[in-house]
Structures are given as structure tokens and as C-alpha cells.
Amino acid sequence: QELVTNFPKSNLVEESYYYLGLSRYKQGNKVEATEALISLLDNPKMKKRKSEICFKLGEIKFEEGEYEQAVTFYKRMLEQYPKDELNPRAQFRIGEAYFQLKDFAQAKESFSKVRKYGKQGELLYQSIYRTGESAYNLKDFKEGLSIFSDLSREKKYAKYLPNIELKIAEGYKLSDSLDLALKKYEEVALAFPKTEQSAEAYYRAGMINLEGKRDLKKGQEFFDKAKTDWPASPFAKSALEKSADISKLSTYQEQVTKEESLKVVAPLFHLAEFYLTRMNVPESALAEYQNIVDKYPESEYAPKSVYAIAWIYENIYQDSAKAREYYHKIIDQ
């Protein structure tokens, strides 16, 4: 700032503005940083650092969540400075911006262009990985699986293998090949024991058994393994909660089988609520709510169950006609 003020005709003024912009950026003053940097882009006296300015403006806009503007700066850099060493990173960030915008087709295309800049080491790996994730988001599970399977065979990416294998298992799950997904998750857990990836693998396997297979016992076994395999993992905490949920569910189920007559309605209703709000199994919740309506129509839980059924059809299955039918039952009865 002193240089700009005291020596306004110096040939270092433009470069001072560049560093002034970076200093403001580091201070968290992104508005003034942006103003300082933009003023240099079209300044003919600024002979160098134009590509760096473009990239930094893209980074600022990206961090602010203004992804479309970020893409504009990254693309301007690629077009005006085609041989700059920052170009691979700019191309990758374009993909990231589109990914955040949930434009997965553009993201996939952008990530795939990173490789045209040659060997980029870890950046190339990340771009291929994100290309596979974009394919999954586009519901092209076959292509996504192919991308991650090819990655898994690359020896230079051996250190990333646990995460790649988890993505292959995810692809199987997304394509409803649950047995293949379970097998792959178990392989990951056994091949990389006592790691964050093994904890995630056990947790994901538990969720498949819980939601896909409806096997509570097997699900709890996997959750218990996730808890102990790598306790510091966030998946260990989630596994602990799920394991507790299964124990609670078993308690409700025991109460339902033991109770008689109208005494069973309350635990039955709690069982349905648990299926819906904790276990994410709406079809099981529907069955229990309907059971209450059919068997105990005079109970105070009957209208609550009808309302819950209507809510499920409206908010989970997006069946407004069916939801309306059940809402009317409450009014009519």
C-alpha cells in the first residue's frame, strides 16, 4: 500500500496491486481482494501474472459458492493462457464447480479433460475418481464401475486402493447387486483391517443387511465390527447408533409379541414409528400402521396411524392421490 501511495509512477505498482489483492484475500477480505485483482486483468501495464490472477479470482468465487462465476474465470484462463502450468488445476476446478452445481454431465466431461494436460500425478487420480462419482450421480452405474475397476488395477494408485474398492462396492449397491456389494465390503474390511476404510466397509455392509436384506442380526454384527475396528472413524459412531437402534427395535418387537389385547397398540405404534424415523424402512412402518388401523380401529392410535400412512404416501412415495385418500379417512371417520 505504501509503494502504491508513495511511488504511483513506479513500474512495480501493478505487481503491488497483485500482492495487495493476495494480502486482502489472506485477511479474509474477499470483496476488496476481488476488486484489486479484477482491476489488473485488463490493465495493459500488467505484463505478467495474468494467468495467476485469473486462477485466484476463480478460487475466490469458488470459495464464496459462486460456482458459475468461478467457471468463467477458470475458462478465461484456459483460453487466454493455453500453456500455463496452472491449467490442469483450473480444468479440475471447473469439474468441481459443476459437481457442486449438480451438473454432473458437465462435471464428468470437465474432469475427463484433465488428462489432456499430461501426467498430473495425484490431480489426475482425483479427476478420474471424480469422473467415476459423476457417472454414479448420472445413474450410469456400469460406466462408474468400469472407471473405478480400471483405477483399482493401476499400480501407481495402489495407496488409494481402499477408497477405490469402497467405490466399487458402492457401484454394486447402487445397481442393486447387493450380494456383490456385501462381498466387496467384506473384502475391503479384511484386506485393510483397523483402518477408517474397514470401519466404513463394515458400516455399509450393516446398512445393506438392515435396509436391503432386512436381516437385523447380521446388520448388528457388522455394526459391532465397525464400532471396534476403528473407533475414531465417524462410521464407528454411526454404527454405534444403528446397533442401539436394532436393540431398541428388538425390545419393541418383544413387547408386541408379549402384550395382549389393546395393550399391544402402544408398542405396535412405537414399532411403526421406529421403522419410519430411525430405521428408514417405510414399507415396514406402513405394514405396522395398517395393522393398527385394521385390528384396533377404536384405539387412539388408529387416526394417528392413518395420518402417518398418508404422510408416507405424500412425502416418501410422492403419491398424492393415495395420501389424499387417507387424509379423507381421518375427516370422514
Side-chain angles (χ1 to χ4, degrees), residues 53-300:
I53 292 169
C54 256
F55 185 79
K56 183 56 68 176
L57 284 166
E59 293 290 272
I60 292 172
K61 293 300 180 183
F62 190 98
E63 290 177 20
E64 291 289 285
E66 298 174 13
Y67 301 114
E68 291 176 347
Q69 290 187 47
V71 168
T72 301
F73 284 115
Y74 293 133
K75 285 186 174 180
R76 177 173 175 174
M77 177 187 162
L78 294 174
E79 290 166 4
Q80 294 184 359
Y81 314 99
K83 295 183 179 180
D84 196 272
E85 63 181 12
L86 285 171
N87 283 357
R89 289 173 62 191
Q91 184 62 58
F92 180 81
R93 295 296 269 176
I94 290 171
E96 285 288 284
Y98 281 127
F99 199 92
Q100 294 299 322
L101 289 167
K102 300 191 185 304
D103 186 343
F104 299 114
Q106 288 274 27
K108 181 166 160 284
E109 182 183 348
S110 300
F111 286 129
S112 67
K113 287 180 180 178
V114 174
R115 65 172 65 246
K116 80 177 184 179
Y117 295 99
K119 294 180 179 179
Q120 300 300 323
E122 184 169 335
L123 187 66
L124 180 58
Y125 160 74
Q126 290 175 355
S127 67
I128 297 171
Y129 189 93
R130 293 297 253 172
T131 303
E133 288 189 313
S134 299
Y136 281 169
N137 279 289
L138 289 167
K139 301 193 185 305
D140 192 343
F141 307 130
K142 185 177 180 181
E143 183 182 5
L145 275 166
S146 176
I147 290 168
F148 287 116
S149 295
D150 288 344
L151 263 183
S152 71
R153 290 189 285 271
E154 290 276 1
K155 291 184 180 179
K156 60 186 175 183
Y157 299 136
K159 67 178 181 178
Y160 304 113
L161 189 58
N163 289 322
I164 296 169
E165 294 281 83
L166 283 173
K167 280 293 172 182
I168 293 173
E170 182 185 340
Y172 288 139
K173 180 181 179 294
L174 289 169
S175 53
D176 289 327
S177 300
L178 299 185
D179 290 332
L180 286 174
L182 278 172
K183 182 180 177 183
K184 178 60 71 175
Y185 280 131
E186 290 192 68
E187 287 175 0
V188 172
L190 294 172
F192 310 100
K194 306 297 179 182
T195 63
E196 188 166 338
Q197 289 84 1
S198 65
E200 180 177 353
Y202 280 131
Y203 174 78
R204 302 285 187 198
M207 290 302 294
I208 289 175
N209 277 287
L210 182 64
E211 296 180 348
K213 299 282 191 178
R214 302 288 189 270
D215 189 334
L216 298 182
K217 183 180 178 182
K218 197 72 176 175
Q220 192 161 32
E221 286 178 14
F222 281 116
F223 290 138
D224 289 341
K225 287 179 180 178
K227 287 188 298 181
T228 56
D229 211 56
W230 190 256
S233 166
F235 292 99
K237 180 182 178 183
S238 298
L240 179 64
E241 292 172 355
K242 288 296 178 185
S243 182
D245 283 346
I246 291 174
S247 297
K248 191 72 174 176
L249 183 63
S250 299
T251 301
Y252 283 138
Q253 289 174 331
E254 287 176 13
Q255 288 177 342
V256 168
T257 54
K258 287 179 181 178
E259 296 286 359
E260 296 179 359
S261 187
L262 285 173
K263 291 182 181 179
V264 79
V265 185
L268 199 58
F269 184 78
H270 294 316
L271 178 62
E273 294 284 89
F274 208 76
Y275 276 131
L276 179 62
T277 62
R278 297 293 298 173
M279 308 300 282
N280 193 31
V281 191
E283 55 268 36
S284 295
L286 270 178
E288 298 301 344
Y289 286 131
Q290 192 63 56
N291 190 21
I292 293 170
V293 175
D294 294 340
K295 291 185 177 179
Y296 311 99
E298 302 302 318
S299 163
E300 63 177 297

